Amino acid sequence: MSNLHTIIISGLLALPLTASAQTAPANNHKGLSDGNPISSNVFCADPTALEYNGRLYVYGSNDSQQFVASGKKSKNSYGAIKSIVVFSTDDMVNWTFHGTIDTNKLCSGWVSNPWYQGYGVSWAPSVTWRTTDDGTDEFFLYFCNSSHGVGVLKANSPIGPFKSPNKKLMIHYDTPGANKISTNANFDPGAVIDDNGVGWISFGGLGPSGIMPDAARIIKLKPSMTEVDGSAVKIPAPYHFEANELNYIGGKYVYTYCSNWGRNQNDWNAYTKQHGINVSMPNTGTMCYMVSDNPMDPDSWEYKGVIGPHPGSSENNHSHLQKFQGNYYHIYHSCALLVGMKNAKDVDNSAELYRSICINKATVNEETQKINQVTLNNTGATAIKNLNPYQLQQAETMSNSGGVSYSDFTNITKKTSISALGNDASQNMQVKMQAGSWIQLRKVDFGQNGAQSFTIRLKGTGTVELRWGQTSAAKASFDFSSTTWKDFTFAVDPTVFKGTRTLYIGFPNAKNVFFDTWQFSEEDLTAVSAVVKKPVASGQTYDLSGRRVSKSTKQHGIYIKDGKKIAVK
């Protein structure tokens, strides 16, 4: 990643381009003011999440990997999904893509036995974290190896690097108390750490149809969080199918799951009478929830109702309930992005069931654990803060986009290395911009003074435009050319770049263009050109306005000393 203190001069070397026909902006695949899905170019599903250091991290099955492996067509068969996608946000509308965790590489050494196989795929992650007594942060990412069982990865950061602490699945057919319906019924984990520091994990599914399939399980975890402790017990979840998740709210355990497709009103009437509850029978494929104060006692679990309806465009349903910055959110998947791509005729019509993660706000009473049924919509979550354009922003951060791709996020290539984001989730995380590509950022707050300069880190040849709309007139336009990574700095009009805006960074012309970072400044950083062209007396220090700085002056920011720029913190 680049640093503002090292970018002042390079932008002045931007080269003018020969005029060429501009390409129209690439198609938009979701509403320009909509938050859902959270990514407009990555298929991902089966979400889980955590809050850490003021950011919400969301993880999911990498449907895009299957999409690419299938030639961007055909029905999603899930067999090529061998990595986990990671996104994060601090404002709920602009999302940073951190790449994918290469489970295929991390778990390739897993062993088999007659009841389960070594690593094959990675679906439906669940994540939790803790701070140990010595102050170390530990993150645990659980996922199902197809339907053969549950594995675990461990890291000291929410974006890795992750490692596999075990040589085999953590939960499988031979786990005490595990599901014996078949060898393929112990999957879809849901993990949580309670207020006593004890870890728990739910799992199971694909039981027989009917009101009580008896396929849901919960088991305690050892202090390591990478081994089970004792035997699993049943969670008597009515109409249980899959998609298990756990929360700990108000001193009680909240279990969510996807309901199956078999219904009988007489069975439901008998169930509610037996348990003394007055709750409507759930519709098929809905996200239901139960509450307990003693998770190892099956009789303690009480069915409470439906959290989320079926998303409609997706065949299955999977969600996670997450508290972030004081609000609860229902995180789920749908096929809304695929529908948008088909409507724009940008994807083969044969493509089916490639899913995308969406978020809507949930209402939770922490004292009673009552959760109101969430209304699903494309509008999504509301911004909880503005984006600061005067801080360095990654190109991977966006609320919407068109024509954008990542050079390595599918982990299909063999070589891997640590990415520029400081994690091993992906190789280099280069954002590739073709002619017509654009990214959108919402709630960008330029303030009342306005911005005077714009710095963007690029390689390639093209034109970059700053706009308030996908197809609106450019508020600023710059040409650039470089065969290596370079920071280009351009002057902008502070009377235009002020207030809170929806910002579009577009590339009407682009040849071999890759995009890394961007940042505005309330100072005219291009003014440094007047300084570096003047002779500088030896031993003298100047600020960016060309004024000589004495030894008694408190120095900070960027200075020119002996003809060279220096940064003083």
Side-chain angles (χ1 to χ4, degrees), residues 75-111:
K75 185 176 181 179
N76 189 349
S77 64
Y78 315 113
I81 299 175
K82 300 177 184 292
S83 55
I84 295 169
V85 173
V86 189
F87 285 91
S88 76
T89 185
D90 65 354
D91 60 20
M92 295 305 297
V93 295
N94 298 298
W95 291 85
T96 300
F97 177 49
H98 295 283
T100 59
I101 301 167
D102 191 351
T103 49
N104 186 49
K105 174 185 176 183
L106 296 172
C107 307
S108 61
W110 280 5
V111 299

Side-chain angles (χ1 to χ4, degrees), residues 259-480:
S259 65
N260 63 20
W261 276 258
R263 292 293 180 276
N264 182 291
Q265 188 63 54
N266 290 333
D267 289 344
W268 183 251
N269 292 341
Y271 175 83
T272 56
K273 182 178 180 179
Q274 176 188 357
H275 293 277
I277 59 176
N278 182 21
V279 185
S280 298
M281 181 172 65
N283 290 329
T284 58
T286 54
M287 296 306 302
C288 304
Y289 77 111
M290 303 183 76
V291 175
S292 169
D293 56 7
N294 183 7
M296 297 302 285
D297 177 9
D299 293 334
S300 71
W301 288 98
E302 181 180 349
Y303 179 82
K304 292 289 188 176
V306 172
I307 292 179
H310 191 279
S313 59
S314 174
E315 187 176 68
N316 58 10
N317 201 354
H318 198 123
S319 73
H320 175 70
L321 182 68
Q322 180 64 44
K323 187 176 183 180
F324 176 63
Q325 298 293 297
N327 296 313
Y328 277 93
Y329 296 92
H330 177 71
I331 312 175
Y332 60 101
H333 66 227
S334 77
C335 290
L337 178 59
L338 181 63
V339 171
M341 288 183 171
K342 285 186 175 182
N343 290 341
K345 301 187 184 306
D346 284 339
V347 68
D348 191 275
N349 199 49
S350 68
E352 295 181 26
L353 301 181
Y354 295 101
R355 304 156 297 176
S356 302
I357 292 176
C358 302
I359 295 183
N360 285 103
K361 196 171 181 179
T363 301
V364 178
N365 185 319
E366 293 185 332
E367 293 183 0
T368 64
Q369 296 79 43
K370 178 177 174 54
I371 306 171
N372 293 346
Q373 183 168 321
V374 177
T375 299
L376 309 185
N377 57 50
N378 290 333
T379 302
T382 302
I384 60 173
K385 61 181 291 190
N386 291 340
L387 185 146
N388 184 355
Y390 304 118
Q391 293 179 346
L392 190 69
Q393 302 290 342
Q394 296 293 326
E396 300 93 326
T397 299
M398 60 191 78
S399 58
N400 201 346
S401 67
V404 175
S405 61
Y406 304 100
S407 62
D408 60 350
F409 80 101
T410 56
N411 285 316
I412 291 175
T413 54
K414 294 181 179 180
K415 296 181 180 180
T416 59
S417 61
I418 295 176
S419 78
L421 289 171
N423 62 291
D424 68 346
S426 194
Q427 297 173 36
N428 300 301
M429 279 307 300
Q430 295 184 124
V431 181
K432 187 174 183 180
M433 310 297 285
Q434 62 187 4
S437 295
W438 52 273
I439 68 170
Q440 177 205 65
L441 298 115
R442 293 166 61 190
K443 293 289 185 178
V444 181
D445 189 359
F446 291 97
Q448 293 307 305
N449 294 329
Q452 295 198 57
S453 58
F454 173 68
T455 298
I456 185 168
R457 183 169 177 79
L458 300 162
K459 68 177 178 179
T461 299
T463 303
V464 59
E465 290 183 344
L466 305 179
R467 306 189 296 263
W468 299 151
Q470 180 195 6
T471 58
S472 64
K475 300 301 179 183
S477 180
F478 317 107
D479 296 333
F480 62 91

Side-chain angles (χ1 to χ4, degrees), residues 77-281:
S77 64
Y78 315 113
I81 299 175
K82 300 177 184 292
S83 55
I84 295 169
V85 173
V86 189
F87 285 91
S88 76
T89 185
D90 65 354
D91 60 20
M92 295 305 297
V93 295
N94 298 298
W95 291 85
T96 300
F97 177 49
H98 295 283
T100 59
I101 301 167
D102 191 351
T103 49
N104 186 49
K105 174 185 176 183
L106 296 172
C107 307
S108 61
W110 280 5
V111 299
S112 304
N113 84 356
W115 300 115
Y116 60 85
Q117 65 181 30
Y119 177 81
V121 294
S122 49
W123 302 343
S126 182
V127 67
T128 190
W129 73 282
R130 68 183 179 189
T131 301
T132 62
D133 292 340
D134 64 1
T136 301
D137 292 336
E138 294 182 328
F139 298 81
F140 303 93
L141 185 63
Y142 306 88
F143 65 92
C144 59
N145 185 35
S146 178
S147 54
H148 289 274
V150 174
V152 59
L153 300 175
K154 182 180 179 181
N156 295 120
S157 159
I159 55 175
F162 282 88
K163 295 182 180 180
S164 176
N166 301 329
K167 296 297 184 181
K168 61 180 181 180
L169 290 167
M170 187 184 77
I171 294 173
H172 46 77
Y173 186 83
D174 288 334
T175 297
N179 211 321
K180 303 299 182 182
I181 294 173
S182 74
T183 58
N184 301 325
N186 299 291
F187 62 101
D188 277 14
V192 74
I193 299 174
D194 64 25
D195 286 350
N196 296 316
V198 179
W200 305 87
I201 191 165
S202 56
F203 61 95
L206 297 184
S209 61
I211 191 169
M212 197 54 63
D214 281 337
R217 297 288 187 276
I218 187 168
I219 194 168
K220 186 179 178 181
L221 294 172
K222 290 184 177 179
S224 67
M225 295 291 292
T226 60
E227 297 178 275
V228 298
D229 186 359
S231 178
V233 300
K234 292 181 182 180
I235 300 177
Y239 298 118
H240 175 266
F241 183 58
E242 60 182 14
N244 315 282
E245 270 284 18
L246 284 175
N247 284 85
Y248 190 73
I249 302 174
K252 293 192 177 183
Y253 303 84
V254 177
Y255 168 66
T256 61
Y257 64 95
C258 177
S259 65
N260 63 20
W261 276 258
R263 292 293 180 276
N264 182 291
Q265 188 63 54
N266 290 333
D267 289 344
W268 183 251
N269 292 341
Y271 175 83
T272 56
K273 182 178 180 179
Q274 176 188 357
H275 293 277
I277 59 176
N278 182 21
V279 185
S280 298
M281 181 172 65

